[in-house]
Amino acid sequence: DNIMTITINRQDVGEAMKQYCVRHGYTMKEIARIMGVSVGAIQSWVYGYRLMNFDNYMKFMKMLEDEKQ
């Protein structure tokens, strides 16, 4: 079977999201609009209460990748 496992650390993702917002001057409301999720979802990820699903994780990783270009 070709099953890929990805380990996602809640605190690392939350910190990366905080830093992304700081670098771009975004509020949590703005990043929620960009990602198409609720502000509550962003808050839960930033503070490490919940882990984002795979689709949102990949969306955020693409945002980080696009930032480098």
Side-chain angles (χ1 to χ4, degrees):
D1 290 344
N2 291 330
I3 298 174
M4 181 172 67
T5 302
I6 297 175
T7 302
I8 303 170
N9 181 297
R10 279 184 266 196
Q11 287 75 27
D12 290 346
V13 171
E15 187 59 34
M17 189 164 276
K18 282 185 219 175
Q19 293 302 317
Y20 183 87
C21 288
V22 168
R23 284 192 303 275
H24 293 276
Y26 290 144
T27 64
M28 286 189 199
K29 184 175 182 179
E30 291 168 322
I31 200 83
R33 181 186 52 77
I34 291 166
M35 291 189 69
V37 298
S38 70
V39 174
I42 297 294
Q43 290 171 332
S44 69
W45 301 335
V46 166
Y47 298 124
Y49 300 139
R50 297 194 62 201
L51 193 57
M52 60 179 65
N53 66 28
F54 184 76
D55 290 339
N56 286 321
Y57 178 77
M58 294 307 292
K59 191 182 298 184
F60 183 58
M61 291 300 105
K62 176 149 179 24
M63 291 165 63
L64 292 176
E65 184 64 29
D66 290 348
E67 178 182 44
K68 293 178 183 178
Q69 297 176 10

